[in-house]
């Protein structure tokens, strides 16, 4: 069964850039059938989609975060990454990576276990 | 502020049925597929329903999904204590300048 695994610093200072990576052990990220996405969840709150990328590098971003977000893919390492710039305390959240189909009906499956990123000085 | 509205909580006794509504608009649910996710305490979300009413093979048929107009519904029959979780709907919102994937506000299911 496909697994996704997030990694990166658990603490980021305000105004700095949050950087996370999602690896896909046991599976290939290089499929035209899927996109690879990032979703976050502030403590005690709901889910927010951040953005998605194909293995060719085509991206979709949440308009509310677009100015601060960069998602990239490295097929040689079978991983994709998230960068979120100029972070504030409001960016404190559990960040998940997940896969979704490249079709008219998006659904996220599977999900990584999530990684908590705290923005604090 | 999510564009998909769910009731904050629903509850029922073991063995009973609950339904969770997800209310949207013509730019999201009205024209796109809906999916549903279960998030057990302390865990990552898990796909329950995709394309309005389809279940992944590992999801029991106690879980069902439907869509009508600009609303969608998740049903859970034969409620079990293990079903206590937060549930989220999700869909693409095709608004012209703000197209985005959106999740519902979330519903906490309590088994009495």
């Amino acid at each position: 069964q496909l697994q996704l695994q997030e990694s990166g610093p658990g603490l980021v200072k305000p105004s700095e850039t949050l950087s996370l990576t999602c690896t896909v052990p046991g599976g290939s990220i290089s499929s035209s059938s899927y996109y690879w996405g990032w979703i976050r969840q502030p403590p005690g709150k709901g889910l927010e989609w951040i953005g998605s990328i194909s293995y060719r590098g085509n991206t979709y971003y949440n308009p509310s975060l677009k100015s601060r977000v960069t998602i990239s893919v490295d097929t040689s390492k079978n991983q994709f990454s998230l960068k979120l710039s100029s972070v504030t305390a409001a960016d404190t959240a559990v960040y998940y990576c997940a896969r979704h189909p490249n079709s008219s009906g998006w659904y996220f499956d599977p999900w990584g276990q999530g990684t908590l990123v705290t923005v604090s000085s | 502020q999510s564009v998909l509205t769910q009731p904050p909580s629903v509850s029922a006794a073991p063995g009973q049925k609950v339904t969770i509504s997800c209310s949207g608009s013509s730019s999201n649910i009205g024209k796109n597929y809906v999916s549903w996710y279960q998030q057990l305490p302390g865990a990552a979300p898990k796909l329950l329903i995709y394309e309005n009413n389809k279940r992944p093979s590992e999801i029991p048929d106690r879980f069902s999904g439907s869509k009508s107009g600009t609303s969608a519904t998740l049903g859970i029959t034969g409620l079990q204590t293990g079903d206590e979780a937060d549930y989220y709907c999700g869909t693409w919102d095709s608004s012209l300048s703000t197209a985005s994937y959106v999740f519902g506000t979330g519903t906490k299911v309590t088994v009495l």
Side-chain angles (χ1 to χ4, degrees):
Chain A
Q1 188 174 359
L2 187 71
Q3 291 185 327
L4 285 77
Q5 190 166 0
E6 305 90 350
S7 61
L11 181 64
V12 181
K13 290 182 168 56
S15 80
E16 295 190 345
T17 296
L18 178 160
S19 295
L20 295 173
T21 296
C22 181
T23 57
V24 189
S28 175
I29 203 169
S30 299
S31 169
S32 60
S33 298
Y34 297 102
Y35 269 65
W36 306 88
W38 289 98
I39 301 107
R40 70 179 182 177
Q41 184 173 37
K45 296 188 178 181
L47 302 168
E48 179 180 37
W49 172 71
I50 300 170
S52 299
I53 191 166
S54 73
Y55 82 100
R56 293 181 181 274
N58 299 318
T59 54
Y60 292 91
Y61 292 134
N62 186 322
S64 68
L65 297 168
K66 186 175 183 177
S67 63
R68 298 194 292 130
V69 172
T70 302
I71 298 176
S72 59
V73 64
D74 186 338
T75 55
S76 67
K77 295 182 179 179
N78 214 37
Q79 66 186 34
F80 60 106
S81 300
L82 168 70
K83 291 188 184 299
L84 181 65
S85 64
S86 304
V87 297
T88 69
D91 295 309
T92 294
V94 175
Y95 286 76
Y96 297 99
C97 58
R99 184 185 73 172
H100 67 83
N102 177 22
S103 67
S104 59
W106 284 22
Y107 55 90
F108 293 93
D109 179 59
W111 297 59
Q113 82 279 6
T115 187
L116 175 62
V117 178
T118 301
V119 178
S120 175
S121 56
Chain B
Q1 198 80 341
S2 177
V3 297
L4 302 181
T5 303
Q6 300 178 230
S9 64
V10 297
S11 60
Q16 297 301 302
K17 175 181 179 178
V18 296
T19 59
I20 301 170
S21 60
C22 176
S23 178
S25 69
S26 58
S27 67
N28 43 66
I29 293 177
K31 62 171 62 175
N32 294 303
Y33 286 117
V34 176
S35 52
W36 289 91
Y37 306 88
Q38 176 194 60
Q39 187 174 31
L40 295 170
K46 175 183 176 182
L47 178 69
L48 283 181
I49 299 289
Y50 66 100
E51 293 180 0
N52 301 334
N53 55 18
K54 297 178 181 177
R55 282 179 291 105
S57 58
E58 69 273 18
I59 301 301
D61 59 6
R62 300 188 299 107
F63 296 90
S64 63
S66 63
K67 187 181 99 167
S68 178
T70 59
S71 292
T73 301
L74 174 71
I76 310 174
T77 59
L79 201 62
Q80 302 176 359
T81 55
D83 297 331
E84 283 205 338
D86 293 322
Y87 292 81
Y88 295 91
C89 58
T91 189
W92 182 260
D93 188 291
S94 307
S95 298
L96 282 177
S97 59
T98 59
S100 175
Y101 191 89
V102 291
F103 290 97
T105 50
T107 299
K108 182 175 183 60
V109 169
T110 300
V111 181
L112 300 172

